[in-house]
Amino acid sequence: MKKKKVNLRDLDPNEHQGEHSHNDGHNHSSPEEASNFKTYLPAIFSFVMLITGIAVDYFDAFPFFRGWVRIIWYTVAYIPVGFPVIKEGWNSIRNGDFFTEFFLMSIATLGAFAIGEYPEGVAVMLFYAVGELFQNAAVNRAKGNIKALLDARPDEALVYRNGDFVSANPETVEIGERIQVRVGEKIPLDGILLSKKASLNTAAITGESKPDTIAKSEKVYAGSINLDGVIEVKTTKEFKNSSIARILDMVQNATARKSKTELFIRKFARIYTPIVVFLAIGLTFLPYFFVSDYVFRDWLYRALIFLVISCPCALVISIPLGYFGGLGAASRNGILFKGASFLDAMTKVNTVVMDKTGTVTKGVFKIKEVVNKSNFAEAEFMQYLMAMEEQSTHPIAKAILEYKADGADFEATEVSEVAGKGLKGTVNGKQVLVGNKALIVSNGIEVPSETDTIVESIVMVAIDGKFAGYVTIADELKEDAHQAIKQIREAGISKIIMLSGDKDSITQQVSEELDIDWAKGGLLPEDKLNEVEKLKTQPDTTVAFMGDGINDAPVLAASDVGIAMGGLGSDVAIETADVIIQTDQPSKIARAIKIGRSTRRIVWQNIGLAFGVKVIVLILGAGGLASMWEAVFADVGVALLAIFNAVRLQKKRWE
């Protein structure tokens, strides 16, 4: 699906607020308004007028407070809170949308005035307005994470041009330019650290508040805050492709992707609302044919109660708010869901399939063991090996060159590559072979049998025709790899599988170390895809796949939920995935599952609460046992309770 292009400079955190509104005629959405006393003034004015009127009615202290004086008093109380709703209902009708909650509220309250129930008519609109204020406050709070991301968006970059650092718009900075970041400033673009080290607050990117120490030549991300000393960075991405821009784009698009529950409730409300209008009409007139002492006013009053109770505000407001709270809570925990539908999908996952390299391992090769069988000291043995590996660009060569050997560096000459086997050359006048077993054996040199049982990648060395030793190279497990598997199981996942392109022996070793149910290595991208497709054909199986590389993109797209590593992961994997783990921590999968389940639980609690209370009060209202005050509670009161329930997501912690 083609993604909508987003102008990040124009991104409005309030754009998707007010899910139950149908046009621009009745917009309470701005947080600036919510914090302004003027926003609350209409409700305060109506409340004072209503309470005063009820008190005068009750004590009958002023004889003149009757007739037209009383009508005018309650009308004045009604207008500040009622007029915006009536206007919204009228605008909806003009747009062809007759049966909205605004229409129901307008008919019910105007009908209450028509039969002389003025306080009830004002109360319905007043409590509706109060509910709107609470809803806006809750939504603004839920959007705090997105606004924090907007605040993290850098406004300027100090770029080295014409011999000096000059201020420029980050969008104009090109790849490869050098930028300077002072203490307390945000890094404006993704890049490589040129300074010796840096201490950064990466909370906007990773969700982790603790400072992160970055060494020279390591990656840094836009939106991170420099905590200590002036640093310099070489840019590696344009601003539009930077991490912070990508996150903003994903979060904004996430609000537009509705869950099935949200879509169902919206469709339901459009069918449900006209039904209750016709039922209310029937409740008003049909008893005439069946009741001997029929009184039109009494049955009209019951019908008006019926209309107020049946208003779907609690559902239409609280369900999107619940999902939005879940999306915000996830982003605060370093997890980006690309839509509410994926929050739902995550709750159904029962099989987790993961890649190995870069997912549960760091994707960085390290020397695991040096076995020296020569007459040289280990440091000198390594000097021969390192001199040869300096001529190679292989990732394993880079790992070997990180070894710290004492003494003068050796120099290799006449180095040539033996295809698929390794290197041969001369170091300090000695003939040196560096490579796999096939290279050593093909030169008539005997290899110790102990090497046959080694699982890790192995680099063998022969010097002047004699086997000199070997080095084993392994990818390190991420610090939270064991914790991740444990927590995934605790989250109720029945099957954990590892599929890797690395050789099968290494994959099996890592799988066994992590206690993974089943593993398979030596797979091409299409092989991984085939394995996941097989899993999906099994009954009652919902598959989440977690990976980080370009080769994982096909299987990320094919799985029920695709999860990508956001830090180390390739852009293709991140674009394809449904969920992004910004911190590259596999342990966040279990947290993503828990957040999805908490969100779904709260949404269904709100649905049950709204329907349960409404059905009870509807029956009481139809039987004449409930007044307009009970109707107000069934409508606005339940909406408020549902909002407060949804707000719990913003305070909840998942460990």
Side-chain angles (χ1 to χ4, degrees):
M1 182 181 292
K2 187 175 180 181
K3 290 184 68 178
K4 180 180 70 174
K5 295 292 183 184
V6 179
N7 185 344
L8 295 167
R9 289 290 172 189
D10 299 331
L11 182 59
D12 181 7
N14 303 300
E15 184 175 287
H16 298 287
Q17 188 165 326
E19 294 288 354
H20 64 296
S21 294
H22 299 282
N23 54 52
D24 296 330
H26 184 54
N27 180 16
H28 308 286
S29 299
S30 168
E32 288 80 8
E33 285 185 328
S35 63
N36 194 317
F37 179 73
K38 290 180 181 179
T39 306
Y40 300 96
L41 198 56
I44 293 171
F45 176 80
S46 293
F47 176 75
V48 172
M49 292 284 288
L50 175 63
I51 293 300
T52 303
I54 291 173
V56 173
D57 277 341
Y58 183 79
F59 293 106
D60 198 20
F62 301 101
F64 68 86
F65 194 73
R66 297 190 182 106
W68 284 106
V69 174
R70 185 168 181 264
I71 295 172
I72 292 171
W73 181 274
Y74 283 115
T75 301
V76 171
Y78 178 87
I79 289 172
V81 289
F83 178 73
V85 178
I86 294 173
K87 180 182 176 183
E88 185 74 16
W90 173 247
N91 288 336
S92 297
I93 291 171
R94 288 176 60 190
N95 291 330
D97 193 3
F98 285 83
F99 299 106
T100 64
E101 65 266 32
F102 308 108
F103 176 75
L104 293 183
M105 302 289 283
S106 301
I107 295 297
T109 54
L110 292 175
F113 265 71
I115 61 174
E117 300 292 345
Y118 311 120
E120 285 93 333
V122 175
V124 169
M125 285 301 191
L126 172 61
F127 284 111
Y128 179 79
V130 171
E132 285 274 275
L133 294 174
F134 274 103
Q135 179 222 347
N136 292 335
V139 170
N140 289 332
R141 183 166 184 171
K143 291 193 174 187
N145 296 293
I146 296 174
K147 285 182 279 185
L149 287 174
L150 286 168
D151 292 339
R153 183 180 58 201
D155 297 320
E156 66 172 359
L158 289 176
V159 195
Y160 190 76
R161 292 172 179 169
N162 301 321
D164 196 12
F165 286 99
V166 295
S167 179
N169 187 320
E171 294 179 351
T172 66
V173 179
E174 297 180 359
I175 294 172
E177 289 198 273
R178 185 166 52 137
I179 58 176
Q180 186 183 80
V181 185
R182 298 165 183 161
V183 178
E185 292 182 347
K186 301 156 193 162
I187 296 176
L189 298 102
D190 290 0
I192 300 294
L193 183 65
L194 297 176
S195 304
K196 188 174 181 181
K197 67 174 184 177
S199 180
L200 306 177
N201 179 343
T202 60
I205 309 301
T206 65
E208 302 291 333
S209 58
K210 63 182 180 181
D212 194 5
T213 301
I214 307 296
K216 184 176 181 179
S217 299
E218 289 186 345
K219 291 181 180 180
V220 294
Y221 298 104
S224 302
I225 300 172
N226 180 25
L227 301 177
D228 184 21
V230 178
I231 61 172
E232 292 186 10
V233 174
K234 180 181 178 181
T235 61
T236 56
K237 290 183 180 179
E238 295 179 348
F239 179 80
K240 64 182 180 181
N241 296 322
S242 67
S243 51
I244 193 71
R246 191 174 64 203
I247 290 167
L248 288 167
D249 181 50
M250 287 178 185
V251 172
Q252 189 196 22
N253 281 304
T255 63
R257 293 186 177 96
K258 306 301 179 186
S259 71
K260 289 182 180 179
T261 309
E262 284 182 272
L263 296 173
F264 168 75
I265 289 297
R266 286 190 166 194
K267 291 178 182 177
F268 172 81
R270 293 192 175 277
I271 298 170
Y272 160 88
T273 307
I275 289 174
V276 298
V277 170
F278 290 115
L279 286 175
I281 294 171
L283 186 61
T284 305
F285 297 105
L286 288 179
Y288 174 81
F289 300 100
F290 304 101
V291 178
S292 57
D293 55 345
Y294 174 81
V295 177
F296 172 77
R297 184 189 179 283
D298 292 344
W299 287 100
L300 176 60
Y301 183 66
R302 294 183 187 186
L304 296 175
I305 293 171
F306 190 89
L307 285 177
V308 173
I309 297 168
S310 61
C311 187
C313 298
L315 294 172
V316 179
I317 292 171
S318 65
I319 291 172
L321 180 60
Y323 280 109
F324 202 95
L327 292 170
S331 67
R332 190 173 63 247
N333 282 272
I335 304 163
L336 286 177
F337 283 88
K338 288 187 178 178
S341 58
F342 303 119
L343 271 169
D344 270 351
M346 205 69 187
T347 66
K348 301 170 186 175
V349 169
N350 52 29
T351 301
V352 170
V353 182
M354 56 182 66
D355 179 39
K356 181 184 73 66
T357 307
T359 302
V360 294
T361 67
K362 294 180 179 178
V364 179
F365 289 104
K366 297 283 185 183
I367 293 176
K368 185 173 182 180
E369 186 181 16
V370 176
V371 179
N372 177 22
K373 293 185 176 291
S374 69
N375 295 324
F376 306 110
E378 181 180 305
E380 191 173 356
F381 164 75
M382 288 299 296
Q383 288 283 17
Y384 280 102
L385 172 57
M386 291 165 66
M388 294 291 290
E389 292 291 7
E390 280 181 348
Q391 310 299 315
S392 173
T393 58
H394 195 280
I396 287 179
K398 183 179 178 182
I400 290 172
L401 292 173
E402 289 180 359
Y403 183 89
K404 306 298 181 185
D406 297 328
D409 291 339
F410 292 0
E411 185 177 352
T413 58
E414 301 174 1
V415 178
S416 61
E417 183 175 352
V418 181
K421 295 180 179 180
L423 303 170
K424 65 179 181 178
T426 303
V427 178
N428 285 11
K430 297 182 184 296
Q431 293 295 315
V432 180
L433 299 172
V434 171
N436 57 24
K437 183 177 179 179
L439 175 67
I440 307 301
V441 171
S442 66
N443 282 272
I445 301 170
E446 187 178 351
V447 176
S449 59
E450 66 187 71
T451 60
D452 295 338
T453 59
I454 295 174
V455 174
E456 295 88 359
S457 298
I458 183 170
V459 178
M460 298 183 182
V461 182
I463 301 174
D464 279 346
K466 294 182 180 179
F467 187 81
Y470 58 88
V471 174
T472 59
I473 306 293
D475 190 2
E476 288 184 286
L477 285 175
K478 290 182 177 177
E479 288 82 358
D480 67 329
H482 287 279
Q483 177 190 359
I485 302 303
K486 179 184 175 184
Q487 290 181 347
I488 290 171
R489 292 198 188 282
E490 289 174 349
I493 301 302
S494 59
K495 189 182 294 183
I496 304 175
I497 296 169
M498 179 178 288
L499 301 177
S500 177
D502 206 346
K503 65 181 185 179
D504 190 59
S505 58
I506 294 177
T507 303
Q508 297 300 337
Q509 183 192 43
V510 172
S511 170
E512 186 176 342
E513 186 176 350
L514 292 176
D515 192 27
I516 288 173
D517 298 321
W518 182 74
K520 192 172 183 179
L523 300 176
L524 296 172
E526 54 266 33
D527 298 326
K528 290 183 182 180
L529 181 60
N530 290 335
E531 293 292 342
V532 168
E533 292 287 5
K534 286 179 191 175
L535 285 169
K536 288 177 66 179
T537 61
Q538 296 177 9
D540 301 320
T541 299
T542 303
V543 179
F545 180 86
M546 179 170 63
D548 73 310
I550 293 175
N551 62 337
D552 292 325
V555 70
L556 283 168
S559 57
D560 296 303
V561 182
I563 305 169
M565 296 287 115
L568 293 173
S570 73
D571 290 342
V572 175
I574 290 166
E575 284 295 317
T576 308
D578 308 312
V579 183
I580 314 299
I581 307 294
Q582 295 170 247
T583 59
D584 281 336
Q585 294 173 292
S587 57
K588 289 290 179 76
I589 295 181
R591 194 171 299 182
I593 294 170
K594 291 175 183 176
I595 291 173
R597 288 175 180 170
S598 295
T599 303
R600 189 167 179 81
R601 191 180 306 121
I602 280 179
V603 165
W604 281 101
Q605 284 172 357
N606 287 347
I607 291 173
L609 175 69
F611 275 116
V613 174
K614 283 180 181 293
V615 167
I616 292 170
V617 183
L618 275 171
I619 294 169
L620 294 175
L625 301 175
S627 69
M628 193 75 78
W629 297 104
E630 282 85 357
V632 168
F633 171 76
D635 176 40
V636 181
V638 171
L640 289 177
L641 290 175
I643 288 168
F644 293 146
N645 192 33
V647 167
R648 289 195 300 126
L649 277 171
Q650 298 163 43
K651 296 182 178 180
K652 192 173 176 63
R653 293 186 177 275
W654 297 268
E655 299 299 338

